[in-house]
Amino acid sequence: ETAVFQTPNYHVTQVGNEVSFNCKQTLGHDTMYWYKQDSKKLLKIMFSYNNKQLIVNETVPRRFSPQSSDKAHLNLRIKSVEPEDSAVYLCASSLGNERLFFGHGTKLSVL
Amino acid sequence: QQKVQQSPESLSVPEGGMASLNCTSSDRNFQYFWWYRQHSGEGPKALMSIFSDGDKKEGRFTAHLNKASLHVSLHIRDSQPSDSALYFCAATSSGSWQLIFGSGTQLTVMP
């Protein structure tokens, strides 16, 4: 069953637009993540958020920013999308360093 | 170069057969290994973890870790068509927030 919920499932937009993706977990976990999965299915971690502490992968462009209202929510905002941002964005959560639970992903297409 | 490398890229086995997947790390700091499975259209799901040298068995799945050679393998006996998926090896080091994923092995189980 799904316990990490992502919306929308798909989003199509044009270069330069701003987009925002939502993620909510109902597992009571203390850590949430955003991963990017590219067209070759490679998974790259983007952000981790734990106890109001944000850890950023230094390779992530500055136009990406996570937004959290509480430990059950971690949204992802992209200020000005570029073609290389087309990918599936996966949200996940965990309790400490235990196994990650992933959502189904949001597929972004940038035209 | 990826820190976690998987082989083969793709694998086909007959239903009821044994599937063997391999994973090698190039970072000696990695001490904790996971296997995840991703069915099409879904997020990855954790199968099992292995942290100690030797074998760990969970149902039809057996993981093997050799820390000296930084090699992890996953063996699936009595493979079923529902096992057809993309399998990821993932690794992390003590105290790290980052779970690093390999490039994946696409497994197809033929009925």
Side-chain angles (χ1 to χ4, degrees), chain A residues 35 37 41 48 55 100 102-103, chain B residues 34 36 38 43-44 88 97 99:
Chain A
Y35 278 81
Q37 187 168 38
K41 305 295 186 183
S48 164
I55 301 177
L100 269 59
F102 284 87
Chain B
W34 291 85
Y36 282 75
Q38 184 177 26
F88 289 104
W97 67 285
L99 187 61

Side-chain angles (χ1 to χ4, degrees), chain B residues 80-103:
Chain B
Q80 301 298 308
S82 58
D83 294 327
S84 296
L86 183 58
Y87 287 76
F88 289 104
C89 171
T92 188
S93 55
S94 178
S96 172
W97 67 285
Q98 288 199 32
L99 187 61
I100 306 299
F101 283 80
S103 54

Side-chain angles (χ1 to χ4, degrees), chain B:
Chain B
Q1 185 187 8
Q2 290 237 125
K3 286 189 174 183
V4 179
Q5 295 176 306
Q6 291 185 242
S7 64
E9 281 189 21
S10 62
L11 177 65
S12 292
V13 299
E15 184 175 355
M18 172 78 83
S20 295
L21 290 67
N22 297 298
C23 172
T24 303
S25 168
S26 60
D27 188 336
R28 290 215 161 264
N29 290 318
F30 287 156
Q31 301 164 14
Y32 308 107
F33 296 87
W34 291 85
W35 284 99
Y36 282 75
R37 176 166 81 176
Q38 184 177 26
H39 286 105
S40 181
E42 298 180 5
K45 186 175 179 180
L47 279 175
M48 61 193 299
S49 61
I50 185 163
F51 303 155
S52 303
D53 276 331
D55 290 338
K56 181 178 180 182
K57 186 178 176 183
E58 290 188 6
R60 296 184 294 109
F61 299 87
T62 300
H64 176 82
L65 172 60
N66 181 327
K67 284 192 176 183
S69 62
L70 297 177
H71 182 258
V72 187
S73 58
L74 179 70
H75 305 278
I76 309 171
R77 66 171 175 81
D78 190 23
S79 297
Q80 301 298 308
S82 58
D83 294 327
S84 296
L86 183 58
Y87 287 76
F88 289 104
C89 171
T92 188
S93 55
S94 178
S96 172
W97 67 285
Q98 288 199 32
L99 187 61
I100 306 299
F101 283 80
S103 54
T105 293
Q106 182 68 51
L107 172 65
T108 303
V109 180
M110 299 169 293

Side-chain angles (χ1 to χ4, degrees), chain A residues 72-86:
Chain A
H73 295 82
L74 185 67
N75 300 332
L76 179 67
R77 174 178 163 238
I78 313 174
K79 204 170 5 177
S80 176
V81 297
E82 298 189 6
E84 61 263 32
D85 298 338
S86 294

